[in-house]
Amino acid sequence: MSRTALGFILLIIAGVVAPWLNIYPTFLMKGWCFALFACAFNLLLGYTGLLSFGHAAFFGAASYITGHALKVWGLPPEIGLLAGTVFAGVLGYLFGSLAIRRAGIYFAMITLALAQMLYFVWLQMKFTGGEDGLQGVPRGMMFGVIDLTNNVNLYYVVFAIFLFGFFMIYRTIHSPFGQVLKSIRENEPRSISLGYDVAKYKLLAFVISATLSGLAGATKTVVFQLASLTDAHWHMSGEVVLMTLLGGMGTVFGPVVGAFVIVTLQNELADKVGSWVQVIMGFIFVICVLAFRRGIVGELMALFRNLYQRPVGLSARQADVKDTKA
Amino acid sequence: MFELLGITPQALYGQLLVGLINGSFYAILSLGLAVIFGMLNIINFSHGAQYMMGAFIAWIGLTQVGQWIGDPGFSVSYWTALLLSPLLVGAFGIVIERTMLRHLYKLDHLYGLLLTFGIALIIEGLFRDWYGISGQQYEIPEALQGAINLGFMFLPKYRAWVIVASLVVCFATWYVIERTKLGAYLRAGTENPKLTQAFGINVPLMITLTYGFGVALAAFAGVLAAPIFTVGPKMGADLIIVVFAVVVIGGMGSILGSIVTGLALGLIEGLTKVFYSEASAVVIFVIMVIVLLVRPAGLFGRER
């Protein structure tokens, strides 16, 4: 059995068993939402080499649209989730077409600026409720039969949504399309010279990533029954970068680990240290960048490789250098 | 004509002045970003936090230091702070460059962005913890209180001073980089660091000092801003995102380009406030979108 299959099985077991371990279910659901968000982000950063600093735009937009669809239009949750997700995808197409016109650092600045623009739009529009946000979003009956007001039902729906998104990302990464994305990450000029329309590939990766980020944001609205400006703020964009970096960018399971670590930290620290949470997040950022660039899962995988499969004819140090380049 | 649109000339001139002041800040900050980017190849995400630090140091000097040393009569004046605050923040920047940033030059540029983002979170979080989220007032220095009557409007002296001071600093920076021997070394180091070093110029030292200087510019802008805006931990973060958009619009290839773009966008923002105030928060971002569609490399940029 491959390690990935083992990972999948462990993940599913953990997800199914977790609510019976006396863990606060809302916390778990928050974890899965952010895990999906981070995995969607990782498709772009880890596998295509594009750093978007505006992913909160998609998370927040889907959150507002789903909230509005459920609360004001009274749509059933599955349609509400779909509306938010589709909206995020369309937004991803618009932002993506603009942002891929520049590369590297400019790409990051453009996505950040576009997300900030949207933030001001939400702030001024009437239906978002401004600083208060959309509160008391009803959960409703999924497909007319699953009562989402029951926390256990909701938990498994959220977990199923996560698995669906996670599997989509996994399939994307391991498809021929995903191989092209990786080749763009490694050497863009060469991909162009091989005849790939790089811009098209980047845009499609951006749209997939935005859509699934939207799905995460929409699900989060159903869980917390709240859509607010926090979801669309640039702090949120920074958080998802941190989750991916900490867990291990360019690894399948890294963002899941990173998301749960950060959500746990925020949960544990919020009442103990108050505003120091931001300082601690900043320190984690600095430490990750300086000393820990492969992230938790990346480091574990490197350790595993060094212990069991020392590459022939390549010293461990050279292998290290190769890894950090990715 | 103004009356037809329901706008008084006073309101128009007033907003143009505010626009020019914002434009001066955009110019200094984007200039600092461009100088740092040219030499270090990183985008300094903590620029906004360092601007905020500059303002806070001035405020602490004026109102807090006296109590700390047990002599309530003692305070650091605005004019001293204008010199001292950039020096302190610049020194802080040099420490960051020496201890952290220099380890990242061989890696992808994005790591520099991520590191400085983390530093920005730390600085902002610390100041929020120490002084709370709400802003502090900084009094306008005595010599610059009051206003000048220009005939068509009253020009507050302090605002005129901000515009003059920032223009002088911007053009002095431009002059040093484009017209002096030191600037020639700097440009050579930007163009080809290895060759420059082979000619016996200490490039690593130059990089360190460049970062220190760029950061000091941000702090200088912070002190200038202290009496106009409230001094609070959030003052830098929102501003820096707008400055990023300014940088995307102008492109970071040209020093003069950054200054002109910054001032022009400030003015446009001010005009938008007069004619369609709902759009004033987003107008710069909208211009960025248009520039990306028409001229993706930026107005003064080169495709690279």
Side-chain angles (χ1 to χ4, degrees):
Chain A
M1 186 160 46
S2 77
R3 266 184 301 156
T4 315
L6 188 69
F8 259 102
I9 291 171
L10 284 177
L11 185 73
I12 293 174
I13 294 175
V16 171
V17 174
W20 309 104
L21 297 178
N22 209 9
I23 308 173
Y24 189 48
T26 314
F27 161 76
L28 285 172
M29 291 190 273
K30 186 181 177 189
W32 293 123
C33 289
F34 278 97
L36 177 57
F37 187 22
C39 287
F41 178 78
N42 186 37
L43 177 65
L44 214 52
L45 177 60
Y47 290 96
T48 323
L50 296 174
L51 171 59
S52 157
F53 232 101
H55 252 50
F58 313 118
F59 190 80
S63 177
Y64 274 128
I65 297 299
T66 301
H68 189 72
L70 296 183
K71 190 180 172 185
V72 180
W73 295 339
L75 293 173
E78 65 275 11
I79 306 291
L81 286 170
L82 191 67
T85 310
V86 169
F87 186 83
V90 173
L91 201 63
Y93 179 79
L94 294 176
F95 281 16
S97 327
L98 286 169
I100 58 166
R101 289 170 162 255
R102 304 297 303 271
I105 276 165
Y106 282 100
F107 182 89
M109 289 196 288
I110 291 166
T111 44
L112 175 63
L114 289 172
Q116 184 76 354
M117 175 170 83
L118 197 64
Y119 175 84
F120 283 124
V121 172
W122 298 135
L123 185 66
Q124 285 181 358
M125 280 176 97
K126 290 279 178 296
F127 87 93
T128 59
E131 304 274 349
D132 300 330
L134 286 170
Q135 297 177 358
V137 175
R139 283 175 175 171
M141 300 280 275
M142 186 99 166
F143 303 116
V145 285
I146 309 170
D147 183 7
L148 294 186
T149 49
N150 177 328
N151 256 345
V152 176
N153 288 351
L154 183 65
Y155 173 81
Y156 284 109
V157 167
V158 170
F159 183 59
I161 289 173
F162 164 78
L163 277 183
F164 165 78
F166 187 72
F167 190 69
M168 290 276 288
I169 292 163
Y170 179 80
R171 282 309 314 152
T172 308
I173 294 166
H174 293 88
S175 67
F177 171 73
Q179 296 302 323
V180 178
L181 292 186
K182 277 177 240 174
S183 84
I184 294 172
R185 177 189 72 189
E186 293 301 321
N187 192 337
E188 189 170 334
R190 181 172 287 183
S191 317
I192 296 171
S193 77
L194 286 172
Y196 290 109
D197 186 349
V198 168
K200 212 186 255 171
Y201 280 88
K202 279 185 184 174
L203 181 58
L204 186 54
F206 197 93
V207 172
I208 296 174
S209 174
T211 310
L212 291 171
S213 302
L215 180 60
T219 313
K220 190 236 71 180
T221 302
V222 177
V223 172
F224 287 95
Q225 304 183 280
L226 171 76
S228 71
L229 281 172
T230 319
D231 304 329
H233 195 253
W234 58 267
H235 269 173
M236 186 63 85
S237 301
E239 248 168 52
V240 76
V241 179
L242 181 57
M243 287 169 183
T244 310
L245 189 66
L246 177 65
M249 58 177 157
T251 62
V252 175
F253 295 99
V256 182
V257 176
F260 269 95
V261 172
I262 296 292
V263 170
T264 311
L265 271 179
Q266 285 173 340
N267 237 36
E268 295 295 313
L269 294 176
D271 18 316
K272 286 177 198 138
V273 295
S275 60
W276 277 82
V277 173
Q278 191 184 338
V279 181
I280 292 167
M281 295 292 146
F283 270 112
I284 300 176
F285 242 110
V286 170
I287 292 165
C288 277
V289 171
L290 286 179
F292 202 56
R293 280 184 289 272
R294 283 182 290 204
I296 297 172
V297 172
E299 291 290 342
L300 286 177
M301 276 164 61
L303 193 72
F304 183 83
R305 253 200 313 272
N306 284 348
L307 283 178
Y308 298 105
Q309 303 167 333
R310 186 173 290 274
V312 185
L314 197 69
S315 75
R317 187 163 168 72
Q318 278 170 322
D320 266 3
V321 171
K322 263 180 115 176
D323 277 345
T324 44
K325 269 190 185 157
Chain B
M1 181 206 142
F2 291 128
E3 284 72 15
L4 261 178
L5 290 164
I7 293 152
T8 61
Q10 279 76 21
L12 181 69
Y13 297 138
Q15 288 301 344
L16 279 180
L17 181 64
V18 172
L20 206 55
I21 284 177
N22 282 336
S24 321
F25 290 127
Y26 298 156
I28 302 190
L29 291 175
S30 64
L31 177 67
L33 282 180
V35 170
I36 292 173
F37 181 73
M39 204 66 206
L40 285 79
N41 257 325
I42 63 153
I43 268 292
N44 184 28
F45 211 126
S46 50
H47 217 65
Q50 281 146 347
Y51 158 87
M52 179 267 286
M53 268 175 93
F56 252 109
I57 288 176
W59 175 78
I60 290 170
L62 192 71
T63 60
Q64 308 288 304
V65 169
Q67 293 162 18
W68 290 354
I69 57 171
D71 175 13
F74 177 83
S75 69
V76 180
S77 77
Y78 173 81
W79 304 102
T80 319
L82 207 52
L83 193 69
L84 190 66
S85 177
L87 282 178
L88 285 176
V89 180
F92 171 75
I94 284 174
V95 171
I96 288 178
E97 198 279 337
R98 281 272 143 157
T99 54
M100 299 185 212
L101 276 175
R102 61 167 32 196
H103 301 292
L104 302 176
Y105 295 146
K106 289 199 178 88
L107 301 167
D108 198 313
H109 303 338
L110 299 177
Y111 286 109
L113 178 79
L114 294 176
L115 180 84
T116 47
F117 177 72
I119 292 171
L121 285 183
I122 296 173
I123 299 174
E124 242 184 70
L126 286 176
F127 275 94
R128 207 169 70 185
D129 191 61
W130 292 334
Y131 296 109
I133 194 86
S134 61
Q136 314 284 351
Q137 295 297 328
Y138 188 98
E139 206 180 326
I140 295 177
E142 218 166 293
L144 295 171
Q145 284 172 0
I148 314 162
N149 190 351
L150 293 180
F152 55 92
M153 70 177 289
F154 280 97
L155 177 65
K157 278 188 199 160
Y158 187 78
R159 306 212 156 191
W161 153 251
V162 168
I163 295 170
V164 172
S166 42
L167 283 182
V168 167
V169 167
C170 283
F171 282 102
T173 310
W174 170 81
Y175 183 82
V176 170
I177 292 177
E178 298 289 338
R179 293 285 183 272
T180 65
K181 198 164 184 183
L182 178 70
Y185 289 154
L186 212 66
R187 279 177 288 138
T190 306
E191 205 63 45
N192 192 333
K194 272 190 188 147
L195 195 63
T196 314
Q197 186 138 24
F199 280 125
I201 293 161
N202 190 343
V203 174
L205 179 70
M206 221 156 67
I207 291 178
T208 309
L209 292 179
T210 304
Y211 188 73
F213 175 72
V215 167
L217 272 182
F220 180 78
V223 182
L224 281 183
I228 298 185
F229 307 121
T230 49
V231 179
K234 273 169 53 170
M235 66 188 285
D238 294 334
L239 183 65
I240 201 63
I241 300 178
V242 178
V243 174
F244 281 171
V246 172
V247 163
V248 172
I249 293 168
M252 283 187 287
S254 137
I255 299 284
L256 214 50
S258 315
I259 302 173
V260 173
T261 319
L263 285 172
L265 287 170
L267 278 176
I268 293 175
E269 200 183 31
L271 280 177
T272 317
K273 264 187 204 133
V274 180
F275 292 105
Y276 187 61
S277 66
E278 288 83 358
S280 63
V282 297
V283 64
I284 290 185
F285 301 119
V286 173
I287 294 174
M288 181 190 81
V289 169
I290 296 168
V291 168
L292 280 173
L293 288 172
V294 179
R295 205 182 139 84
L299 298 177
F300 298 91
R302 285 168 297 178
E303 200 66 70
R304 47 196 265 173

